[in-house]
Amino acid sequence: MNSDIICVFGGTFNPVHTGHIEIARHVHSQFNLDKILIMPSGNPSSYKDTSLIADAKDRCNMISLSIKDYPYMELSELEVKRPGRTYTCDTLKILKEKYNLIYFIIGADSLFSIDKWYHADYVMKNCHLLAANRDNLDDEMIKQRIEFLKNTYGALIDIIDTPALPYSSTVIRENLKNGVSVEKMINPAVYDYIMKHGLYGVKSSKLEE
């Protein structure tokens, strides 16, 4: 592996689901990247109600269960171990001490708000963005937005070639809370972990000690 290059997949991962793993798999094959850091947020600035977020330890454990069969995926606790709100620009500054080239995976929907991110100009000048069209946004609209960001910020952006990924952590949490099946949406080991620990409003299956 070229240690000067890394790919980061950040997000809340609340919980990690099949769609996340599929995106990482396609990035690995499409861009020939040797290592992808799956990096859950600590106290994400985008969450209005942080009570909806599972404990960082649980989210990290669920990620570990999901990626155990993919040697090129690695859990990074960089953001969950950092106090206070976590911003992408701060994460990039830390990673740039070790890596010359940083790929950063985002949802294509984020292309329409990234210029409002904290120190957005720094973010777009210091990483190569890889966008996944997970919400089936109009391709021409995405193309125009990419051109705007390239022309305005000098951003480097490529689209990840992924199939439709109809998975949402929000829907999964609602389904779990209401007893609706989440089969195929999450790794079976993650489902077992959620049930065992009573996450997202489900009744814990832990035995009373």
Side-chain angles (χ1 to χ4, degrees):
M1 174 187 172
N2 183 345
S3 60
D4 292 335
I5 301 174
I6 197 65
C7 181
V8 178
F9 192 177
T12 313
F13 299 107
N14 188 43
V16 60
H17 56 66
T18 306
H20 293 132
I21 303 304
E22 283 300 297
I23 289 172
R25 287 182 62 246
H26 280 79
V27 166
H28 169 67
S29 59
Q30 183 180 346
F31 298 96
N32 194 30
L33 297 173
D34 293 322
K35 182 175 284 188
I36 300 174
L37 299 180
I38 312 297
M39 187 180 294
S41 305
N43 185 10
S45 57
S46 59
Y47 252 73
K48 294 179 180 178
D49 185 355
T50 55
S51 68
L52 299 174
I53 306 176
D55 184 80
K57 179 181 178 181
D58 288 321
R59 288 184 287 123
C60 287
N61 288 341
M62 289 187 284
I63 289 171
S64 294
L65 291 170
S66 287
I67 67 176
K68 63 182 180 63
D69 294 328
Y70 304 98
Y72 54 87
M73 297 186 203
E74 179 181 308
L75 170 68
S76 171
E77 298 184 44
L78 176 63
E79 290 198 345
V80 298
K81 288 186 174 181
R82 205 162 71 231
R85 290 189 180 277
T86 54
Y87 293 101
T88 299
C89 65
D90 296 327
T91 298
L92 291 174
K93 288 175 184 176
I94 294 170
L95 291 174
K96 280 182 69 65
E97 295 176 1
K98 183 176 181 181
Y99 303 102
N100 291 328
L101 177 57
I102 303 168
Y103 288 86
F104 200 91
I105 300 171
I106 61 173
D109 57 311
S110 292
L111 294 173
F112 297 88
S113 61
I114 193 169
D115 52 338
K116 303 297 191 298
W117 288 14
Y118 184 65
H119 289 182
D121 53 343
Y122 181 90
V123 172
M124 285 184 273
K125 283 181 172 62
N126 287 279
C127 69
H128 188 141
L129 295 167
L130 303 178
N133 189 9
R134 57 192 178 186
D135 296 317
N136 295 318
L137 299 175
D138 179 73
D139 290 338
E140 184 60 30
M141 184 172 65
I142 292 174
K143 181 180 178 181
Q144 291 176 9
R145 183 61 178 177
I146 288 174
E147 285 303 309
F148 168 79
L149 294 174
K150 285 181 177 179
N151 293 334
T152 306
Y153 296 94
L156 292 173
I157 307 171
D158 281 304
I159 296 294
I160 304 166
D161 183 18
T162 59
L165 299 168
Y167 305 107
S168 159
S169 293
T170 302
V171 170
I172 290 168
R173 292 195 303 271
E174 284 299 312
N175 285 359
L176 287 165
K177 183 179 179 181
N178 297 320
V180 179
S181 174
V182 293
E183 186 180 4
K184 297 183 180 179
M185 293 184 183
I186 59 176
N187 186 298
V190 171
Y191 175 79
D192 291 342
Y193 185 94
I194 290 170
M195 298 305 292
K196 179 179 179 181
H197 294 273
L199 305 180
Y200 307 121
V202 304
K203 186 175 181 180
S204 173
S205 61
K206 276 186 176 180
L207 296 176
E208 295 291 335
E209 297 183 358

